[in-house]
Amino acid sequence: MILIENVSLSYRDVPILRGIDLALPKGGITALVGPNGAGKSSLLSLVARLQPLQTGCISVDGMPVDTTPSRTLAQRLAILRQDGIVASRLTVRELIGFGRFPHHQGRPGALDLALVDAALDQFDLAALSDRFIDTLSGGQRQRALVAMTFCQGTDYLLLDEPLNNLDMFHARQLMRSLRRIADEAARTAIIVLHDINQAAAYADRIVAMRDGRVIVDGPPAAVLTEENMEAVFGYRIRIEQIAGKPFLMHHL
Amino acid sequence: MADRRLLLLLTLALLSVLFFMLAGLRGNIAFVLGLRGLKLLALLQVALSIAVSTVLFQTVTANRILTPSIMGLDALYVFGQTALVFLLGGLGYASLNGGFKFGMEIVLMVALAMALLWPMLKLRMDMGLMLLMGVTLGILFRSLQALLARMLDPNAFAVVQGASFANFNALRTDLTLLGAIMTLVAVAFCWRARHRLDVIALGRDAATGLGVHWTRSAAGLLLLVSILVAVSTALVGPVAFFGLLVVALAERVVKTQRHAVLLPAAVLVAITVLVGGQAVLQHALGGASTLGVVIEFVGGLVFLILLVQGARK
């Protein structure tokens, strides 16, 4: 369980998060939605200890993120950042292999190598495995980064806009993979999503944020109402029911 | 493939060492070998510390063009030498206890490096801002040094000149043993961290996500860098472009940035260039030029080529 208590964050006196309280139990997919600048990415990077906490506390399975050894956390929690910049020149296989680093500390065993191969297959990257990351298209690079995050094999996955640059086929495939690990392996995914219909179709819970606050929180059917969406996004969105799921006509 | 290339580099390095030790051997052979051996030891140590420190520095700063000298470390060294001559006079400077002076130089340079880095680590200061600080401090020390040099008498100025340029002929062999121990300890730490270095090269956020304590690792590595630079500068004087030259060459030969390969490759290239170059200048060209000048010239060219290549990308 990830417990976020009274977390606020400001950057040069500009408030980014204001008193967030959230409890995310183990298992299932939680989608964070909201307009640009709502604080979704900041919240994820605080949970993943990429930024120091200013106020409040965050714990993962009872371990406070600011004092627990980084390696222990890396075995429980993996994060995919929005700006997937890779500083060094690596092949796809090498990059995905780094996902196993928290477990083997530089000496990969047979299990680690097998998991890397499985991730290559799962994300359609086997044919690209010896290509250098800087020669890939944006979508292919995004898939390699997602594969690396999956490969870390953690109970909690924090994904910041994982569908960036992905085509429809691979976006659907990624969401289905997440659904599968949530259902079969009881792993937990927390995803920042801009495509709200993906959230409606795959998430168990939607947390809608605006201006550093949680506006609504609950199962998709309860959150995705015209009133709530107007409060979050600032305009009226028509919502239809298609195949038993709410479908937002957000582009009209 | 990388292993075979590493073997090739090893052969080249061994050949340069053999050439350095055996070329033009005559007279009292035991005496000559002893003298050359001591000099070789100092050269090896300089090659090791500059190659390793440059690789570490480039990994931590995620920049393939920077070298530790950009942090103003060599400028501080020259300033320190000038200040000593200014305070003690040429004769007083020459009669200083070598070991004591060496120790003080190293402590001072490590202290400066940490003073530069501490704010960055505490305030999560931007790496670019910190490097700008390093460049600015470098200018400050160079200007102070120039001011002091103007106020010196010509004899003392000649002493300063001797101390402020890289000199591979007048090595401080008296300090070799102390320096060798420090270098080996520092290099052993780097070798143990080679897998962690690969992860650190991914960048701060990715490394943190993979369980590396970034602040602690970066501080430790930069401390190692400053110790290595201090040792090599105290031994031969400042060399700005040597590290850049050997790491760029090594990277192109082994074609990987994995530290388990890159670190030894850079060290072997450094040995080949330094020991081989010194031997060629001494025996084939009759000491026509000083190695420091040649290395800085070639290294400067490589620096420009890297800049142009980077701009084209």
Side-chain angles (χ1 to χ4, degrees):
Chain A
M1 164 138 137
I2 294 179
L3 206 58
I4 300 169
E5 289 171 299
N6 190 28
V7 166
S8 300
L9 179 75
S10 56
Y11 183 66
R12 288 190 184 149
D13 295 334
V14 180
I16 299 187
L17 295 172
R18 310 171 203 236
I20 303 272
D21 284 295
L22 264 182
L24 303 164
K26 205 165 172 173
I29 298 177
T30 302
L32 289 179
V33 302
N36 298 139
K40 310 176 296 278
S41 299
S42 299
L43 187 60
L44 274 202
S45 61
L46 283 178
V47 173
R49 48 125 172 50
L50 301 184
Q51 285 186 58
L53 273 172
Q54 289 175 350
T55 51
C57 43
I58 299 178
S59 66
V60 177
D61 285 345
M63 301 181 293
V65 292
D66 45 354
T67 53
T68 308
S70 192
R71 187 186 165 191
T72 313
L73 272 180
Q75 292 169 347
R76 297 286 181 95
L77 172 141
I79 181 160
L80 170 77
R81 293 256 305 157
Q82 191 179 347
D83 46 353
I85 303 162
V86 183
S88 48
R89 190 172 159 79
L90 297 167
T91 64
V92 173
R93 182 185 291 278
E94 283 173 324
L95 179 77
I96 297 176
F98 277 119
R100 301 301 302 163
F101 182 80
H103 305 278
H104 62 60
Q105 297 290 306
R107 289 171 190 76
L111 172 70
D112 299 310
L113 298 177
L115 284 171
V116 171
D117 280 329
L120 280 169
D121 284 337
Q122 187 184 353
F123 291 95
D124 269 348
L125 292 164
L128 303 173
S129 66
D130 293 321
R131 285 266 295 275
F132 282 102
I133 297 292
D134 50 3
T135 66
L136 298 181
S137 77
Q140 290 168 333
R141 178 160 53 230
Q142 180 73 2
R143 261 152 60 208
L145 288 166
V146 171
M148 169 179 155
T149 315
F150 262 67
C151 208
Q152 206 169 328
T154 52
D155 286 342
Y156 298 94
L157 284 168
L158 310 180
L159 306 172
D160 197 348
E161 297 187 29
L163 304 183
N164 267 359
N165 293 323
L166 294 190
D167 56 37
M168 284 177 283
F169 177 82
H170 289 109
R172 169 174 173 270
Q173 200 180 33
L174 171 58
M175 293 310 292
R176 289 167 74 106
S177 307
L178 283 174
R179 194 63 261 172
R180 197 167 61 239
I181 60 166
D183 292 339
E184 291 170 9
R187 286 165 74 181
T188 316
I190 298 153
I191 334 170
V192 173
L193 280 178
H194 273 301
D195 187 341
I196 195 134
N197 289 318
Q198 295 275 13
Y202 289 101
D204 299 306
R205 175 175 173 187
I206 293 180
V207 175
M209 294 176 66
R210 177 173 192 162
D211 294 334
R213 289 195 183 86
V214 173
I215 306 286
V216 268
D217 174 8
V223 170
L224 300 177
T225 64
E226 292 187 357
E227 293 72 37
N228 284 341
M229 288 302 101
E230 186 166 6
V232 174
F233 291 103
Y235 71 105
R236 198 85 184 162
I237 301 173
R238 229 177 93 199
I239 301 179
E240 300 284 337
Q241 293 290 322
I242 295 179
K245 306 265 188 199
F247 187 85
L248 280 74
M249 317 287 275
H250 54 77
H251 52 296
L252 295 179
Chain B
M1 189 188 73
D3 290 339
R4 209 184 313 145
R5 283 160 188 264
L6 214 51
L7 213 60
L8 176 80
L9 289 179
L10 181 67
T11 319
L12 279 177
L14 284 178
L15 281 178
S16 349
V17 168
L18 279 179
F19 183 48
F20 180 83
M21 287 299 284
L22 301 177
L25 208 55
R26 62 177 181 274
N28 185 343
I29 289 182
F31 175 76
V32 175
L33 280 184
L35 202 64
R36 285 187 185 180
L38 210 56
K39 211 165 150 184
L40 177 70
L41 201 65
L43 283 175
L44 289 180
Q45 190 186 320
V46 170
L48 193 66
S49 47
I50 291 186
V52 171
S53 63
T54 307
V55 171
L56 290 192
F57 192 72
Q58 291 188 344
T59 296
V60 176
T61 57
N63 191 316
R64 310 315 289 178
I65 293 181
L66 293 177
T67 61
S69 67
I70 205 130
M71 307 252 302
L73 282 180
D74 57 343
L76 176 75
Y77 171 80
V78 177
F79 170 64
Q81 302 297 314
T82 314
L84 272 180
V85 175
F86 185 76
L87 291 174
L88 304 174
L91 203 63
Y93 174 84
S95 59
L96 270 182
N97 179 331
F100 173 74
K101 185 166 153 284
F102 183 60
M104 287 310 293
E105 279 166 10
I106 289 177
V107 168
L108 205 65
M109 286 177 74
V110 170
L112 172 87
M114 284 295 115
L116 257 176
L117 297 167
W118 204 236
M120 175 202 73
L121 297 170
K122 274 283 158 222
L123 307 171
R124 302 171 66 85
M125 194 194 276
D126 192 33
M127 197 61 89
L129 201 58
M130 184 209 57
L131 292 168
L132 198 62
M133 240 166 81
V135 174
T136 314
L137 276 183
I139 295 174
L140 174 70
F141 289 129
R142 262 184 277 275
S143 313
L144 283 175
Q145 190 265 340
L147 177 71
L148 285 184
R150 282 202 178 80
M151 301 194 287
L152 287 173
D153 67 82
N155 284 330
F157 185 72
V159 175
V160 169
Q161 287 278 297
S164 25
F165 294 103
N167 193 340
F168 295 100
N169 288 311
L171 292 161
R172 304 286 309 275
T173 41
D174 52 329
L175 306 173
T176 302
L177 188 66
L178 185 61
I181 295 170
M182 293 181 65
T183 310
L184 284 181
V185 171
V187 169
F189 271 110
C190 300
W191 183 247
R192 265 195 55 202
R194 63 194 183 279
H195 299 300
R196 197 142 40 91
L197 282 167
D198 291 337
V199 177
I200 288 170
L202 295 176
R204 179 186 203 132
D205 284 344
T208 308
L210 292 173
V212 169
H213 195 300
W214 175 268
T215 316
R216 206 178 296 156
S217 304
L221 289 172
L222 289 167
L223 183 68
L224 285 180
V225 168
S226 56
I227 289 175
L228 287 169
V229 172
V231 169
S232 88
T233 312
L235 278 177
V236 294
V239 276
F241 289 120
F242 180 58
L244 180 84
L245 173 74
V246 297
V247 175
L249 275 177
E251 226 167 67
R252 272 152 190 73
V253 172
V254 294
K255 290 195 171 40
T256 174
Q257 288 178 353
R258 271 193 307 128
H259 287 80
V261 179
L262 186 59
L263 278 173
V267 170
L268 291 172
V269 171
I271 291 173
T272 310
V273 171
L274 203 55
V275 178
Q278 182 70 16
V280 167
L281 279 181
Q282 255 175 27
H283 301 296
L285 303 176
S289 174
T290 53
L291 184 61
V293 175
V294 178
I295 285 181
E296 295 304 60
F297 176 66
V298 179
L301 282 181
V302 170
F303 180 72
L304 288 178
I305 292 170
L306 287 180
L307 272 185
V308 172
Q309 272 184 348
R312 254 195 226 137
K313 240 186 236 171

mmCIF file of all heavy atoms in Angstrom, chain A residues 9 18 40 48 66 102 113 143 166 170 179 188 190 193 232 240 243 245:
data_model
loop_
_atom_site.group_PDB
_atom_site.id
_atom_site.type_symbol
_atom_site.label_atom_id
_atom_site.label_comp_id
_atom_site.label_asym_id
_atom_site.label_seq_id
_atom_site.Cartn_x
_atom_site.Cartn_y
_atom_site.Cartn_z
ATOM 1 N N LEU A 9 3.928 20.662 -1.946
ATOM 2 C CA LEU A 9 5.191 20.920 -2.643
ATOM 3 C C LEU A 9 5.083 22.286 -3.277
ATOM 4 O O LEU A 9 4.052 22.645 -3.842
ATOM 5 C CB LEU A 9 5.403 19.852 -3.717
ATOM 6 C CG LEU A 9 6.666 19.955 -4.574
ATOM 7 C CD1 LEU A 9 7.875 19.516 -3.782
ATOM 8 C CD2 LEU A 9 6.530 19.094 -5.825
ATOM 9 N N ARG A 18 -0.954 20.735 -2.968
ATOM 10 C CA ARG A 18 -1.468 21.346 -1.736
ATOM 11 C C ARG A 18 -2.157 20.279 -0.895
ATOM 12 O O ARG A 18 -3.293 19.882 -1.191
ATOM 13 C CB ARG A 18 -2.477 22.438 -2.057
ATOM 14 C CG ARG A 18 -1.997 23.440 -3.087
ATOM 15 C CD ARG A 18 -3.169 24.336 -3.469
ATOM 16 N NE ARG A 18 -2.976 24.938 -4.762
ATOM 17 C CZ ARG A 18 -3.005 26.258 -4.975
ATOM 18 N NH1 ARG A 18 -3.215 27.078 -3.997
ATOM 19 N NH2 ARG A 18 -2.833 26.725 -6.193
ATOM 20 N N LYS A 40 0.350 16.068 -11.302
ATOM 21 C CA LYS A 40 0.352 14.595 -11.377
ATOM 22 C C LYS A 40 1.779 14.038 -11.404
ATOM 23 O O LYS A 40 2.127 13.148 -10.632
ATOM 24 C CB LYS A 40 -0.405 14.123 -12.642
ATOM 25 C CG LYS A 40 -1.769 14.755 -12.824
ATOM 26 C CD LYS A 40 -2.432 14.344 -14.121
ATOM 27 C CE LYS A 40 -1.704 14.787 -15.373
ATOM 28 N NZ LYS A 40 -1.876 16.112 -15.877
ATOM 29 N N ALA A 48 8.278 8.299 -5.912
ATOM 30 C CA ALA A 48 9.439 7.512 -6.343
ATOM 31 C C ALA A 48 10.749 8.114 -5.829
ATOM 32 O O ALA A 48 11.810 7.798 -6.360
ATOM 33 C CB ALA A 48 9.464 7.425 -7.862
ATOM 34 N N ASP A 66 11.635 8.573 2.166
ATOM 35 C CA ASP A 66 12.807 9.436 2.296
ATOM 36 C C ASP A 66 13.918 8.831 3.143
ATOM 37 O O ASP A 66 15.045 9.304 3.097
ATOM 38 C CB ASP A 66 12.407 10.826 2.812
ATOM 39 C CG ASP A 66 11.428 10.732 3.966
ATOM 40 O OD1 ASP A 66 10.980 9.613 4.281
ATOM 41 O OD2 ASP A 66 11.097 11.771 4.562
ATOM 42 N N PRO A 102 18.627 -3.456 -9.699
ATOM 43 C CA PRO A 102 18.382 -3.491 -8.253
ATOM 44 C C PRO A 102 18.457 -4.904 -7.680
ATOM 45 O O PRO A 102 18.681 -5.081 -6.487
ATOM 46 C CB PRO A 102 16.957 -2.937 -8.123
ATOM 47 C CG PRO A 102 16.732 -2.167 -9.356
ATOM 48 C CD PRO A 102 17.534 -2.825 -10.431
ATOM 49 N N LEU A 113 18.581 -12.719 -17.181
ATOM 50 C CA LEU A 113 18.683 -12.755 -18.635
ATOM 51 C C LEU A 113 17.376 -13.243 -19.256
ATOM 52 O O LEU A 113 16.902 -12.720 -20.271
ATOM 53 C CB LEU A 113 19.850 -13.644 -19.062
ATOM 54 C CG LEU A 113 21.225 -13.142 -18.579
ATOM 55 C CD1 LEU A 113 22.324 -14.114 -18.969
ATOM 56 C CD2 LEU A 113 21.518 -11.762 -19.146
ATOM 57 N N ARG A 143 8.663 2.312 -25.903
ATOM 58 C CA ARG A 143 8.406 0.905 -25.599
ATOM 59 C C ARG A 143 9.588 0.279 -24.883
ATOM 60 O O ARG A 143 9.434 -0.515 -23.952
ATOM 61 C CB ARG A 143 8.126 0.142 -26.884
ATOM 62 C CG ARG A 143 6.652 -0.068 -27.126
ATOM 63 C CD ARG A 143 6.351 -0.183 -28.588
ATOM 64 N NE ARG A 143 7.042 -1.288 -29.230
ATOM 65 C CZ ARG A 143 7.380 -1.295 -30.518
ATOM 66 N NH1 ARG A 143 7.103 -0.260 -31.280
ATOM 67 N NH2 ARG A 143 7.991 -2.330 -31.037
ATOM 68 N N LEU A 166 3.088 6.345 -28.470
ATOM 69 C CA LEU A 166 2.745 4.984 -28.897
ATOM 70 C C LEU A 166 1.590 5.014 -29.903
ATOM 71 O O LEU A 166 0.665 5.818 -29.784
ATOM 72 C CB LEU A 166 2.342 4.126 -27.695
ATOM 73 C CG LEU A 166 3.432 3.818 -26.672
ATOM 74 C CD1 LEU A 166 2.946 2.768 -25.693
ATOM 75 C CD2 LEU A 166 4.703 3.350 -27.349
ATOM 76 N N HIS A 170 0.147 -0.437 -30.058
ATOM 77 C CA HIS A 170 1.017 -0.637 -28.901
ATOM 78 C C HIS A 170 0.449 -0.019 -27.632
ATOM 79 O O HIS A 170 0.710 -0.509 -26.539
ATOM 80 C CB HIS A 170 2.418 -0.090 -29.198
ATOM 81 C CG HIS A 170 3.163 -0.930 -30.180
ATOM 82 N ND1 HIS A 170 3.416 -0.518 -31.470
ATOM 83 C CD2 HIS A 170 3.680 -2.175 -30.088
ATOM 84 C CE1 HIS A 170 4.068 -1.470 -32.107
ATOM 85 N NE2 HIS A 170 4.237 -2.490 -31.301
ATOM 86 N N ARG A 179 -3.211 -4.533 -17.315
ATOM 87 C CA ARG A 179 -4.397 -5.181 -16.767
ATOM 88 C C ARG A 179 -4.072 -6.622 -16.349
ATOM 89 O O ARG A 179 -4.479 -7.098 -15.301
ATOM 90 C CB ARG A 179 -5.491 -5.154 -17.854
ATOM 91 C CG ARG A 179 -6.904 -5.455 -17.492
ATOM 92 C CD ARG A 179 -7.485 -4.458 -16.536
ATOM 93 N NE ARG A 179 -7.425 -4.981 -15.184
ATOM 94 C CZ ARG A 179 -7.729 -4.260 -14.112
ATOM 95 N NH1 ARG A 179 -8.088 -2.995 -14.218
ATOM 96 N NH2 ARG A 179 -7.668 -4.786 -12.924
ATOM 97 N N THR A 188 0.578 -3.590 -8.721
ATOM 98 C CA THR A 188 -0.121 -2.314 -8.641
ATOM 99 C C THR A 188 0.452 -1.351 -9.664
ATOM 100 O O THR A 188 1.671 -1.204 -9.744
ATOM 101 C CB THR A 188 0.080 -1.709 -7.235
ATOM 102 O OG1 THR A 188 -0.092 -2.741 -6.291
ATOM 103 C CG2 THR A 188 -0.875 -0.581 -6.977
ATOM 104 N N ILE A 190 0.217 2.655 -11.092
ATOM 105 C CA ILE A 190 -0.310 4.010 -10.953
ATOM 106 C C ILE A 190 0.149 4.761 -12.189
ATOM 107 O O ILE A 190 1.344 4.898 -12.423
ATOM 108 C CB ILE A 190 0.209 4.667 -9.663
ATOM 109 C CG1 ILE A 190 -0.297 3.851 -8.473
ATOM 110 C CG2 ILE A 190 -0.273 6.108 -9.564
ATOM 111 C CD1 ILE A 190 0.575 3.932 -7.292
ATOM 112 N N LEU A 193 -2.417 9.480 -17.125
ATOM 113 C CA LEU A 193 -2.968 9.271 -18.464
ATOM 114 C C LEU A 193 -3.588 10.562 -18.969
ATOM 115 O O LEU A 193 -4.236 11.288 -18.216
ATOM 116 C CB LEU A 193 -4.057 8.186 -18.424
ATOM 117 C CG LEU A 193 -3.600 6.731 -18.418
ATOM 118 C CD1 LEU A 193 -4.815 5.829 -18.329
ATOM 119 C CD2 LEU A 193 -2.790 6.409 -19.657
ATOM 120 N N VAL A 232 -12.957 19.464 -13.316
ATOM 121 C CA VAL A 232 -11.530 19.160 -13.475
ATOM 122 C C VAL A 232 -10.954 19.848 -14.704
ATOM 123 O O VAL A 232 -9.918 20.513 -14.632
ATOM 124 C CB VAL A 232 -11.314 17.634 -13.581
ATOM 125 C CG1 VAL A 232 -9.858 17.322 -13.905
ATOM 126 C CG2 VAL A 232 -11.715 16.951 -12.284
ATOM 127 N N GLU A 240 -21.037 9.346 -23.159
ATOM 128 C CA GLU A 240 -21.948 8.305 -23.628
ATOM 129 C C GLU A 240 -21.548 6.984 -22.978
ATOM 130 O O GLU A 240 -20.419 6.819 -22.511
ATOM 131 C CB GLU A 240 -21.832 8.153 -25.153
ATOM 132 C CG GLU A 240 -22.166 9.396 -25.948
ATOM 133 C CD GLU A 240 -23.660 9.656 -26.023
ATOM 134 O OE1 GLU A 240 -24.428 8.682 -25.852
ATOM 135 O OE2 GLU A 240 -24.051 10.823 -26.239
ATOM 136 N N ALA A 243 -20.469 0.013 -24.906
ATOM 137 C CA ALA A 243 -20.038 -1.308 -24.462
ATOM 138 C C ALA A 243 -19.885 -1.348 -22.948
ATOM 139 O O ALA A 243 -18.939 -1.910 -22.405
ATOM 140 C CB ALA A 243 -18.729 -1.708 -25.150
ATOM 141 N N LYS A 245 -18.998 0.902 -20.900
ATOM 142 C CA LYS A 245 -18.015 1.796 -20.288
ATOM 143 C C LYS A 245 -18.384 3.244 -20.630
ATOM 144 O O LYS A 245 -18.882 3.507 -21.738
ATOM 145 C CB LYS A 245 -16.615 1.527 -20.875
ATOM 146 C CG LYS A 245 -16.170 0.082 -20.798
ATOM 147 C CD LYS A 245 -15.342 -0.146 -19.575
ATOM 148 C CE LYS A 245 -14.750 -1.542 -19.619
ATOM 149 N NZ LYS A 245 -14.323 -1.974 -18.284
#
